[in-house]
Amino acid sequence: MSTHTRNITPTFLRQMKQMGKKIACLTVYDASFARILEESGVEVLLVGDSLGMVIQGYSSTLPVTMDSMVYHTSCVARGVQHSLLVADLPFLSYTTPAQAIESAGRLMAAGAHMVKLEGGIVLAEIVRCLSQWGIPVCAHLGLLPQSVHKLGGYRVQGRSAEQATEILDSAKKLEEAGADLLIVECVPALLGQQLAAVLKIPVIGIGAGPKCDGQVLVLYDLLGIALGKRPKFTKNFLSGNDGIQDAVLAFVAEVKASLFPGSDHSFS
């Protein structure tokens, strides 16, 4: 039985932010794990294009197709009762408003409650169009895995004053355009704190410090399953816990108590 007694919606997440209650989010790619995560109190389940790396074995998220995202979203949806199900729009599936609406429509039809896209101010018009058509949107700033070649690798973003200002300005514009949620990845902890302070929508961090409104990890990182070097912002919650569900419960508890992430999982 799910620990949630009501459906998790964007409005409910905003209320959690207003009350100072932390939001727990994890990636998930199938129905069985979806059920475990929901039963453990995870409010937001993200069908991430990270599946290209942890499930399909690619070196980046770029090869992930719409068909793959639709398939895994439909699998996860069959294991969800109350959690908010967010699905990534894959690389080059939202280059125009018309394409974004078509792609988002496929994910929503597969069971997603919200779609996520990566990028800054340039995406404001696309976010506005999706919102006008009734499609909830999660924005993604900071390190953008779909732009890894443009960024020159998986590097911390927003360390310079210029970069930090650009990220803050982008966040404000995307919120104004109708974004309901923001994920910010691999930025200094102070910038994560500033984003959470200036935005009305919830800010969920991954490698963005402890002051965000919530935290997200790739499920496989939480379980200590890594195909390469473990990112600094991750933690193996399976170590010292008796099984997968206990590991997820430990993650949720540490997020709710502001114990994770600690300084050793954050960037200065």
Side-chain angles (χ1 to χ4, degrees):
M1 179 67 66
S2 170
T3 60
H4 303 310
T5 57
R6 56 171 291 180
N7 291 338
I8 306 299
T9 64
T11 300
F12 183 77
L13 295 180
R14 191 177 291 216
Q15 291 170 349
M16 288 184 67
K17 175 185 175 85
Q18 292 169 349
M19 292 185 290
K21 294 183 177 181
K22 297 288 188 177
I23 299 164
C25 175
L26 286 171
T27 67
V28 63
Y29 316 104
D30 62 49
S32 297
F33 272 109
R35 188 169 292 111
I36 290 172
L37 269 53
E38 185 175 77
E39 289 175 350
S40 302
V42 179
E43 284 91 10
V44 181
L45 306 186
L46 171 61
V47 184
D49 58 2
S50 51
L51 68 88
M53 302 174 76
V54 300
I55 300 291
Q56 298 175 332
Y58 293 118
S59 61
S60 75
T61 64
L62 303 185
V64 176
T65 65
M66 270 301 306
D67 286 345
S68 289
M69 290 306 305
V70 168
Y71 170 75
H72 284 279
T73 298
S74 66
C75 290
V76 171
R78 288 190 283 272
V80 173
Q81 289 184 324
H82 301 294
S83 295
L84 184 74
L85 176 53
V86 183
D88 272 342
L89 288 165
F91 183 56
L92 295 182
S93 68
Y94 49 98
T95 60
T96 66
Q99 185 191 30
I101 291 169
E102 180 181 2
S103 298
R106 291 187 64 190
L107 293 177
M108 299 291 282
H113 306 134
M114 178 184 288
V115 299
K116 182 170 78 65
L117 39 69
E118 297 182 14
I121 291 176
V122 68
L123 293 179
E125 184 57 32
I126 287 175
V127 170
R128 184 173 290 107
C129 287
L130 290 173
S131 297
Q132 288 173 344
W133 282 97
I135 299 172
V137 177
C138 175
H140 184 148
L141 293 171
L143 173 60
L144 308 176
Q146 292 180 8
S147 301
V148 61
H149 297 308
K150 181 71 173 178
L151 297 174
Y154 297 98
R155 299 175 178 176
V156 180
Q157 304 295 305
R159 276 188 159 151
S160 70
E162 181 181 2
Q163 276 191 344
T165 298
E166 182 180 349
I167 291 172
L168 282 164
D169 288 345
S170 293
K172 293 174 185 176
K173 292 296 184 183
L174 292 170
E175 180 180 58
E176 290 172 5
D180 301 280
L181 194 64
L182 172 67
I183 286 180
V184 58
E185 180 172 358
C186 283
V187 301
L190 179 58
L191 180 53
Q193 181 178 358
Q194 290 173 326
L195 286 163
V198 301
L199 297 183
K200 293 182 177 65
I201 61 174
V203 176
I204 295 180
I206 176 167
K211 299 297 185 179
C212 295
D213 302 306
Q215 300 293 331
V216 59
L217 282 180
V218 172
L219 177 62
Y220 283 43
D221 287 336
L222 177 147
L223 298 176
I225 303 172
L227 295 178
K229 182 180 178 182
R230 184 175 67 85
K232 173 182 178 178
F233 54 79
T234 66
K235 177 178 177 179
N236 180 357
F237 282 89
L238 189 57
S239 178
N241 283 297
D242 185 18
I244 290 173
Q245 185 148 28
D246 282 349
V248 177
L249 286 167
F251 165 77
V252 172
E254 290 198 17
V255 169
K256 300 293 184 181
S258 297
L259 297 175
F260 178 82
S263 59
D264 52 337
H265 307 111
S266 304
F267 302 101
S268 60

